[in-house]
Amino acid sequence: MAINFITILLFLPLLAINVNAQGPMTYDITKYGAKSGGDISQALMDAWKEACNSTSPSTIVIPRGTWSLSQVKLLGPNKAPLELQVQGILQANPNPGQLPNKEGEWITINYVNYFTLSGGGVFDGQGQQAWKQNDCHKNRNCAKLPMNLSFNFVNNSIIRDVTTKDSKNFHVNCIGSHNVTFLRFTVSAPGDSPNTDGIHLGRDTMINIKDSIIKTGDDCVSIGDESKEIHIQNVTCGPGHGISVGSLGGYAEEKDVQGIFVTNCTFIGTQNGVRVKTWPSAPAQLTVSDLHFEDLIMDNVSSPIIIDQEYCPHNLCKKDRPSSIKISNVSIKNVRGTTNSAEAVTLICSGLKPCENVEVGDIDLTYNGNQGPITTKCMNVKPKFVGKQNPPVCATTAKSA
């Protein structure tokens, strides 16, 4: 019932526009030349073009079965509500060198409105060969690898009941989009697969990620600059690196982040739980505000709660100047479970612009290791405490590195 209500809300305005149009149209890719064992890219693009030009609600169907897809870029605008129903398994070429456009992603969808991606199917990036070639952690000029799904300038849309598997790079990016929901969305990749972020967001507003499972080798969800009203609810994350805001501050033109809500989520064996990370000695002057991390379960998580304004992986930066990014209006409430690191909570804020209005309440974390007592680390922050804190948060103050 909930999904019907969501769908009605999303599509009602455009449906009203097309009230005099003909009935719904279906475009099966097998009618456009798609055959099992062959590349279906052209058939999908042909069906997409025709469906986009339809003034009636349209559904493109990729039937059950296993299909090879080399690469597609699917562009709007669409004239009526449009659904891509993937019932089968789409497989990428395992060799990233065979991608027709080496600078592109595997599947790109741009400039659509009132769009649905559904069907219960799988997008299999077959990334195992590419992961062995990935040296981006030590080589800034590393070869670009394709993401499974790239959504750009997508509005009033829903991605539901599909799986992205073993992407060669990020599984999903969603950029410059508004009012997009990921519902019952599954990400699947091994914990040691490099740079396979589940969902990366940037310059988006009103994004909802709900009732989803994300297992990957990097951030389950990463949130970039100019993101506002991001709601992540009832998501299970792990393996992976947790849910991250940032990293931020690397580029002078970055813009503010506001309204991030992570609620009722579970982290299983992840490197981090919830994390905010900004670069020191960086040019950006943005603000990060209204962050709410509440009702979270940590199951054997290394670092459950982190604000790190000295983020500098692989020593790729200097720490001679503090971060110029201001973090304020943060709530961290009802976080419970176990950690395999003695340092359960880390709140390292900027010496130039200390964190303000941080509220910490009802923390109950148990250390399951043997490296000493459970501790917390705080710097340039004076939280307000409510409820009980286990361990005591900010009982001691850290010194700047």
Side-chain angles (χ1 to χ4, degrees), residues 299-376:
D299 182 355
N300 196 34
V301 172
S302 295
S303 300
I305 302 167
I306 301 179
I307 294 177
D308 183 5
Q309 294 206 255
E310 294 183 346
Y311 177 74
C312 187
H314 312 298
N315 294 314
L316 295 177
C317 65
K318 296 179 180 180
K319 294 187 178 181
D320 56 332
R321 290 182 293 109
S323 173
S324 297
I325 295 174
K326 180 73 172 183
I327 297 176
S328 64
N329 301 331
V330 180
S331 65
I332 305 167
K333 295 181 179 179
N334 193 25
V335 181
R336 60 196 187 279
T338 58
T339 172
N340 58 39
S341 169
E343 193 170 286
V345 179
T346 303
L347 306 177
I348 302 297
C349 296
S350 170
L352 179 64
K353 296 182 178 180
C355 296
E356 287 187 351
N357 194 22
V358 176
E359 184 173 301
V360 179
D362 293 312
I363 307 299
D364 189 5
L365 294 168
T366 302
Y367 174 42
N368 59 15
N370 58 7
Q371 301 299 311
I374 188 169
T375 62
T376 67

Side-chain angles (χ1 to χ4, degrees), residues 80-97:
L82 175 64
E83 180 170 4
L84 174 57
Q85 192 175 100
V86 179
Q87 301 172 1
I89 299 171
L90 302 185
Q91 290 185 332
N93 192 311
N95 183 358

Side-chain angles (χ1 to χ4, degrees), residues 155-213:
N155 299 319
N156 306 309
S157 296
I158 185 165
I159 294 94
R160 60 176 176 88
D161 302 308
V162 292
T163 295
T164 169
K165 179 177 183 289
D166 292 343
S167 181
K168 297 176 177 69
N169 197 339
F170 290 10
H171 281 84
V172 174
N173 76 349
C174 181
I175 305 297
S177 298
H178 172 76
N179 191 26
V180 176
T181 295
F182 293 83
L183 180 67
R184 297 187 298 274
F185 186 73
T186 300
V187 176
S188 177
D192 60 355
S193 55
N195 301 114
T196 53
D197 292 49
I199 301 175
H200 175 71
L201 307 175
R203 300 186 291 282
D204 296 316
T205 57
M206 291 179 59
I207 305 297
N208 299 283
I209 304 172
K210 299 178 62 178
D211 304 337
S212 296
I213 297 172

